[in-house]
């Protein structure tokens, strides 16, 4: 036994140690470490970009804008010169920023689609990223590195996104594939969810519109009283400089303001002549009825005040509570003005429209006693400019209230709409 063995060292272990201390081997390990470091840095950079992209698109609401941002940033992340999106049988080129476009050779979307037909189908069915070998694509795409990845669409169809680098650029590697899968996977998920929420909101709006149309029909208004009040309230809110969130709420409030009429007997709603005091008491119940109908639905909470108080007058002579001035919530004051205007300009079965000019006169007459002065002025100024500057739109929306001879015996109190 040698002295080394006696000290616990074995010959084989010694050989390994010498081998590892070999200068060539040490340099190789150093190179390996440097490569790993670069790879790690690249992965980190791509991960930060993935995070940045997904953060950015999560803050956008418009699905088309999200898709646009997603694909452009995706191209940037992969240093791709061109990006094509294949959906169904079609294939479209995505417009790239000027710098990339300048160096682009003309490649038609059809040629790309044709060249990669099998690859596209494989990605569509497996939803896995693919990097086809250059030998398979050289004849049409030249030396361009190619990467294909799946993008799930809202209709559950899968699009295939093709990224092409400039000829001679490094081929796409495993970290590119990982980043591509992450970005398009998460982006597709956001797109799908936003479109689903949109579709649910659309269904809810259509359901409410169908309901209010039924009520308008019951009240023998020209169709669309509630929709017009919603739109006019929104526009008046805009004229008053209210924030965007409140404008949406005003439109909903206008759409729903008369929902309580569902509980008022039709013979009262449609009585051609003046209501008896008892009938008027029945009619006056509709704001409270509307409030009670909507209250259980938490989503309608912001419109409850407007529904309950849209017949309150500035001087306290309105109903249901006889509130006055600032006691009346602003949305209710806005609905009150535009509701009166639409009631006066609507054609009823027993009388024609009063026309815009006469309705303006009546509103001015009640300014400060029936309606709030600031809101009344804002509405009158905006509507006057609207009908002059957007004559075509006005003619479409308000075809029923072309100015003519005012109806005889127009009662100012007919604003009880
Ligand atoms: Fe009403
Ligand atoms: Fe109304």
């Amino acid at each position: 036994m040698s002295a080394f063995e006696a000290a616990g060292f074995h010959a084989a272990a010694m050989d390994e140690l010498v081998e590892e201390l070999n200068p060539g081997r040490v340099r190789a390990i150093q190179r390996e470490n440097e490569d790993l470091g670069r790879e790690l840095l690249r992965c980190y950079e791509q991960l930060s970009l993935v995070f940045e992209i997904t953060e950015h698109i999560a803050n956008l609401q418009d699905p088309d804008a999200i898709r646009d941002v997603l694909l452009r940033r995706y191209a940037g992340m992969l240093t791709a010169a061109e990006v094509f999106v294949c959906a169904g049988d079609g294939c479209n080129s995505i417009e790239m920023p000027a710098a990339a476009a300048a160096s682009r050779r003309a490649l038609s979307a059809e040629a790309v689609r044709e060249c990669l037909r099998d690859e596209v189908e494989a990605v569509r069915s497996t939803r896995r990223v693919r990097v086809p070998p250059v030998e398979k694509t050289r004849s049409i795409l030249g030396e361009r590195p190619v990467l294909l990845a799946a993008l799930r669409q809202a209709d559950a169809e899968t699009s295939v996104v093709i990224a092409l680098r400039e000829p001679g650029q490094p081929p796409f590697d495993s970290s590119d594939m990982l980043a591509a899968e992450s970005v398009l996977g998460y982006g597709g998920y956001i797109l799908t969810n936003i479109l689903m929420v949109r579709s649910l909101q659309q269904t809810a709006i259509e359901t409410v519109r169908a309901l209010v149309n039924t009520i308008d029909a019951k009240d023998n208004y020209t169709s669309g009283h509630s929709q017009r009040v919603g739109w006019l309230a929104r526009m008046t809110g805009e004229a008053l400089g209210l924030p965007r969130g409140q404008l949406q709420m005003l439109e909903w409030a206008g759409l729903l303001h008369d929902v309580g009429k569902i509980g008022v007997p039709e013979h009262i709603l449609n009585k051609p002549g003046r209501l008896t005091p008892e009938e008027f008491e029945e009619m006056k119940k509709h704001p409270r009825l509307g409030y009670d109908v909507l209250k259980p639905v938490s989503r309608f909470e912001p419109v409850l005040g407007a529904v309950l108080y849209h017949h309150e007058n500035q001087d306290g002579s309105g109903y249901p509570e006889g509130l006055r001035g600032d006691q009346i919530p602003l949305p209710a004051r806005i609905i009150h003005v535009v509701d009166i205007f639409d009631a006066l300009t609507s054609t009823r079965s027993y009388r024609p429209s009063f026309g815009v000019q006469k309705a303006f006169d009546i509103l001015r007459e009640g300014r400060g006693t029936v309606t709030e002065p600031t809101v009344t002025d804002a509405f009158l100024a905006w509507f006057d400019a609207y009908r002059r500057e957007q004559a075509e739109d006005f003619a479409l929306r308000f075809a029923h209230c072309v100015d003519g001879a005012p109806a005889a015996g127009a009662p100012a109190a007919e604003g009880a709409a």
Side-chain angles (χ1 to χ4, degrees):
M1 181 185 287
S2 72
F4 273 109
E5 282 170 321
F9 287 98
H10 293 279
M14 278 302 293
D15 286 345
E16 272 180 35
L17 191 60
V18 170
E19 164 71 12
E20 281 183 21
L21 290 175
N22 176 295
R25 176 81 178 119
V26 169
R27 273 196 298 278
I29 290 172
Q30 278 174 338
R31 272 198 301 274
E32 220 170 278
N33 274 344
E34 282 165 14
D35 286 349
L36 277 172
R38 272 195 295 274
E39 183 68 10
L40 200 63
L41 186 66
R42 210 159 145 245
C43 279
Y44 172 75
E45 281 169 355
Q46 289 197 335
L47 271 176
S48 349
L49 198 50
V50 169
F51 181 74
E52 196 192 319
I53 292 174
T54 49
E55 276 280 284
H56 187 63
I57 60 179
N59 289 329
L60 294 172
Q61 287 299 310
D62 174 18
D64 288 337
I66 290 174
R67 188 173 170 276
D68 197 50
V69 165
L70 176 69
L71 292 174
R72 280 164 187 270
R73 299 299 296 269
Y74 176 73
M77 180 187 78
L78 293 177
T79 58
E82 289 179 85
V83 168
F84 296 86
V85 177
C86 299
D89 289 332
C91 188
N92 292 305
S93 163
I94 301 299
E95 210 161 295
M96 286 295 125
S103 63
R104 192 192 310 164
R105 321 284 184 279
L107 263 181
S108 78
E110 292 72 32
V112 172
R113 175 82 166 88
E114 198 46 47
C115 173
L116 296 168
R117 183 170 292 279
D118 294 347
E119 299 287 337
V120 166
E121 287 319 312
V123 171
R124 204 194 296 279
S125 56
T126 62
R127 295 192 178 171
R128 300 307 305 269
V129 176
R130 286 174 78 91
V131 174
V134 72
E135 299 79 54
K136 281 183 83 175
T137 57
R138 183 178 283 133
S139 62
I140 295 175
L141 304 180
E143 298 299 318
R144 292 174 175 83
V146 185
L147 182 146
L148 298 94
L151 175 63
R152 198 168 150 236
Q153 301 286 288
D155 51 6
E157 278 279 311
T158 299
S159 295
V160 177
V161 181
I162 302 169
L164 295 168
R165 280 183 178 152
E166 287 288 348
Q169 290 286 301
F172 291 106
D173 60 17
S174 56
S175 65
D176 292 320
M177 292 168 80
L178 191 65
E181 202 158 73
S182 306
V183 169
L184 292 194
Y186 192 54
Y189 177 74
I190 291 176
L191 274 172
T192 309
N193 280 343
I194 286 178
L195 286 165
M196 212 182 290
V197 168
R198 287 261 165 125
S199 146
L200 283 172
Q201 282 174 337
Q202 196 54 36
T203 308
I205 289 171
E206 278 163 14
T207 309
V208 170
R209 286 205 171 126
L211 171 71
V212 298
N213 278 344
T214 315
I215 296 158
D216 285 354
K218 187 182 169 194
D219 190 17
N220 88 5
Y221 267 112
T222 52
S223 67
H225 165 69
S226 300
Q227 290 206 36
R228 277 193 307 277
V229 168
W231 184 74
L232 290 170
R234 184 188 185 103
M235 301 314 284
T236 307
E238 204 175 305
L240 285 163
L242 299 185
R244 207 171 148 179
Q246 284 188 37
L247 301 182
Q248 188 57 51
M249 186 274 289
L250 271 173
E251 186 158 0
W252 276 97
L255 206 54
L256 293 164
H257 75 285
D258 276 341
V259 84
K261 284 187 177 173
I262 205 148
V264 177
E266 266 179 66
H267 72 270
I268 296 178
L269 287 174
N270 295 326
K271 186 175 176 180
R274 193 171 278 275
L275 298 180
T276 64
E278 295 74 29
E279 288 167 338
F280 193 50
E281 285 308 310
E282 277 299 306
M283 179 65 114
K284 280 163 65 177
K285 288 179 183 170
H286 80 270
R288 174 78 62 191
L289 282 171
Y291 175 88
D292 291 342
V293 164
L294 300 174
K295 197 168 188 311
V297 186
S298 59
R299 186 144 182 108
F300 290 139
E301 203 278 331
V303 308
L304 292 178
V307 172
L308 182 59
Y309 299 122
H310 74 275
H311 284 291
E312 296 289 4
N313 291 336
Q314 275 300 102
D315 61 3
S317 63
Y319 61 91
E321 293 181 13
L323 300 185
R324 59 173 66 229
D326 289 349
Q327 292 176 321
I328 308 163
L330 178 61
R333 287 179 253 157
I334 294 173
I335 302 287
H336 194 29
V337 171
V338 300
D339 187 30
I340 292 173
F341 174 80
D342 196 70
L344 292 171
T345 50
S346 288
T347 306
R348 302 295 188 98
S349 56
Y350 53 89
R351 62 135 176 90
S353 158
F354 282 76
V356 173
Q357 213 45 58
K358 181 70 184 166
F360 272 20
D361 293 344
I362 294 171
L363 275 174
R364 284 197 190 97
E365 215 172 284
R367 179 187 180 280
T369 51
V370 178
T371 58
E372 201 223 3
T374 316
V375 175
T376 313
D377 294 345
F379 168 73
L380 291 172
W382 166 75
F383 196 88
D384 195 40
Y386 159 71
R387 70 169 169 159
R388 278 185 285 105
E389 290 161 17
Q390 295 177 55
E392 260 180 50
D393 192 74
F394 169 72
L396 276 174
R397 286 181 194 269
F398 297 93
H400 57 281
C401 63
V402 185
D403 276 338
E414 202 181 341

